[in-house]
Amino acid sequence: MITFIVNEASGRGRGEKIWRALRREMLEQELPFRAWCTRSPGEATALAQLACQDAQELQKLVVVGGDGTVNEVLNGISDFSQIALGVVPIGSGNDFVRGLGLPRDPRAALERVFAASGDARIDLGQVCIDGQAPRRFGISAGIGMDAWVCAQVDASRAKAGLNRFGRGSLSYGLMTLSAAWNLETARGSVQLTTPQGVLTRDLRALIFLACMNFPWEGGGVPIAPVADAADGCFSVCLADDLSRAQVFRKLPLLALGRHTHTEGVSLVSATRVEVQLDTPLFVHADGEVPGRARSAVFDVLPQQLRVLV
């Protein structure tokens, strides 16, 4: 028996049409499944909690939706030993599916989750901002410009318009240009716990710090090209002390994954990242933005999640 958590609103309504077609095919093939559809933001978390409560053995739990719905489900799983997570992608970014190497085509992805054993495992992350309750993430979390972009995409009508043409991920590119023009920075410090020891760095003008579990975020931008979701570490991309002109010059390199180790940008493997700032910046977890913060602590949860790949 597979349990589906379905966000029919994903992809600005494409989800409902795609799910109806997939459901019809499963019924025709007499495949065993049950499906719960979300009706409001946050409901996927409650449905994931419900799935864990009635799991008697390893259960295949499959998200039909985008990265936001996946994140809600990750934050609702109470017993990771009983859940193997799969995704049928319908969103605009689909970076979780991209990171797992799963098909972007919903039918092909559905075939994979039915065939998968659930033995594969990946790391997760969690972030705690300003001492609040931690939030899990699967793709990435960060503070600064990438979180600013996520906040503006959520508030913009551009993504909705581009989704109608299947180009919703372009909204991240448009907002990245806007973020570079409206550049927000903060002074502070960061402490990174690495396999070699603890590193502490002063931040003169933090542009962004991204703790990457997968290489991509924002609809396929290779922020950390060497990130490995099964190595027990974040690939931390840090950009600091750059002018607006320098940021604009680096954007093409960022899109190509050639920005790392250029002036003002570094990539470090770390299991824990602690950031303290004098000015609050936006924070995100898998593109979900709870707000601004002066402090954020990011931790790896090694081999936490079984995945259907």
Side-chain angles (χ1 to χ4, degrees):
M1 173 72 72
I2 294 184
T3 300
F4 290 91
I5 295 179
V6 183
N7 182 357
E8 293 182 325
S10 288
R12 295 293 176 180
R14 289 175 55 247
E16 182 178 6
K17 181 179 179 180
I18 293 172
W19 170 245
R20 285 181 178 178
L22 296 177
R23 183 178 182 275
R24 182 171 59 251
E25 291 177 12
M26 287 189 292
L27 289 172
E28 290 172 353
Q29 297 177 42
E30 298 183 347
L31 297 173
F33 74 95
R34 61 179 177 177
W36 300 330
C37 293
T38 64
R39 302 302 179 196
S40 59
E43 190 173 1
T45 298
L47 293 175
Q49 292 170 341
L50 181 61
C52 290
Q53 290 172 6
D54 65 3
Q56 302 299 316
E57 55 187 16
L58 184 64
Q59 178 180 184
K60 290 185 176 183
L61 181 62
V62 179
V63 174
V64 181
D67 291 331
T69 309
V70 173
N71 183 263
E72 287 189 15
V73 169
L74 290 177
N75 282 280
I77 297 174
S78 57
D79 186 352
F80 284 91
S81 68
Q82 295 294 322
I83 296 295
L85 185 70
V87 184
V88 174
I90 298 178
S92 55
N94 297 316
D95 287 310
F96 193 85
V97 162
R98 183 179 285 106
L100 291 178
L102 290 172
R104 297 284 298 277
D105 176 73
R107 284 183 175 82
L110 184 65
E111 291 176 4
R112 285 281 287 273
V113 300
F114 268 102
S117 66
D119 292 332
R121 290 179 179 269
I122 64 168
D123 306 329
L124 292 179
Q126 70 175 22
V127 56
C128 180
I129 67 170
D130 286 344
Q132 300 175 15
R135 183 172 185 86
R136 300 185 195 116
F137 59 92
I139 303 163
S140 67
I143 186 166
M145 191 171 80
D146 62 334
W148 190 97
V149 170
C150 293
Q152 300 307 312
V153 167
D154 286 345
S156 172
R157 295 180 180 179
K159 185 176 180 181
L162 289 168
N163 267 333
R164 295 191 184 98
F165 302 98
R167 294 292 184 269
S169 61
L170 292 179
S171 58
Y172 292 97
L174 295 174
M175 288 304 165
T176 299
L177 293 173
S178 179
W181 181 256
N182 299 283
L183 194 61
E184 293 186 352
T185 65
R187 297 177 62 88
S189 64
V190 58
Q191 181 173 288
L192 303 108
T193 303
T194 77
Q196 293 75 36
V198 177
L199 302 175
T200 301
R201 290 181 52 173
D202 291 330
L203 301 171
R204 298 180 62 182
L206 178 66
I207 309 297
F208 72 85
L209 181 148
C211 293
M212 305 295 297
N213 197 34
F214 290 131
W216 307 276
E217 68 175 16
V221 179
I223 300 290
V226 298
D228 181 351
D231 66 356
C233 289
F234 295 129
S235 189
V236 183
C237 187
L238 173 63
D240 182 49
D241 198 19
L242 296 169
S243 67
R244 180 184 289 112
Q246 287 175 310
V247 171
F248 271 108
R249 286 198 296 269
K250 289 182 187 294
L251 289 182
L253 298 176
L254 181 68
L256 296 171
R258 298 177 181 173
H259 59 292
T260 59
H261 301 296
T262 61
E263 182 185 1
V265 180
S266 58
L267 204 64
V268 181
S269 292
T271 58
R272 183 178 175 89
V273 181
E274 301 172 68
V275 182
Q276 296 287 336
L277 303 176
D278 64 353
T279 303
L281 296 178
F282 278 114
V283 180
H284 84 92
D286 286 344
E288 303 300 303
V289 182
R292 294 177 180 267
R294 286 188 172 88
S295 70
V297 180
F298 307 85
D299 286 293
V300 173
L301 306 175
Q303 300 290 293
Q304 181 84 357
L305 180 67
R306 294 174 183 265
V307 286
L308 301 169
V309 295

